[in-house]
Amino acid sequence: MGEVLKRLKPLHTTENDYVFLNHEGNPLSFHTWRAGIWYRILRGVEIRPRRPYCTQPTFISVGLSNGVNIEWLAEYCGTSLPQSSGITGNTSRAMQPNSLKDWLEP
């Protein structure tokens, strides 16, 4: 995903520039985006309302189902592996971190 975003990144940006802008070129307001876009999309596909944060477990589950390395997923999503789960991060079809774009793009 990082590589995909890097390819889309304008040539002249700084670390202080915003990634997601509204149609006027200003940073998105999370409240406005959530109320005006997020919930409208959910209603359109007949999914009950939920907070955007609720998509993270789904993203992780789909990644694991597709063989993405659990340790890489935890780092990418900013979470930690539960110590008591017994999960070691070894998967039979572990993907390399830079191949997430292959997983996301058909």
Side-chain angles (χ1 to χ4, degrees), residues 52-90:
Y53 181 78
C54 294
T55 61
Q56 183 183 30
T58 302
F59 178 81
I60 292 170
S61 296
V62 170
L64 291 173
S65 296
N66 282 280
V68 176
N69 181 288
I70 190 170
E71 290 173 338
W72 182 84
L73 265 175
E75 182 179 340
Y76 181 83
C77 293
T79 62
S80 61
L81 294 172
Q83 296 298 318
S84 61
S85 70
I87 297 173
T88 63
N90 297 321

Side-chain angles (χ1 to χ4, degrees), residues 5-80:
L5 291 175
K6 284 179 186 176
R7 286 197 316 257
L8 298 174
K9 180 177 142 181
L11 294 176
H12 305 288
T13 61
T14 69
E15 291 192 14
N16 295 324
D17 291 334
Y18 289 94
V19 175
F20 302 105
L21 304 175
N22 63 19
H23 63 281
E24 297 170 348
N26 297 317
L28 286 177
S29 159
F30 178 73
H31 174 72
T32 303
W33 173 83
R34 187 181 60 194
I37 298 172
W38 177 253
Y39 289 122
R40 186 172 33 176
I41 290 170
L42 292 178
R43 281 191 306 271
V45 294
E46 299 179 359
I47 295 176
R48 65 180 171 76
R50 64 195 69 215
R51 295 178 304 195
Y53 181 78
C54 294
T55 61
Q56 183 183 30
T58 302
F59 178 81
I60 292 170
S61 296
V62 170
L64 291 173
S65 296
N66 282 280
V68 176
N69 181 288
I70 190 170
E71 290 173 338
W72 182 84
L73 265 175
E75 182 179 340
Y76 181 83
C77 293
T79 62
S80 61

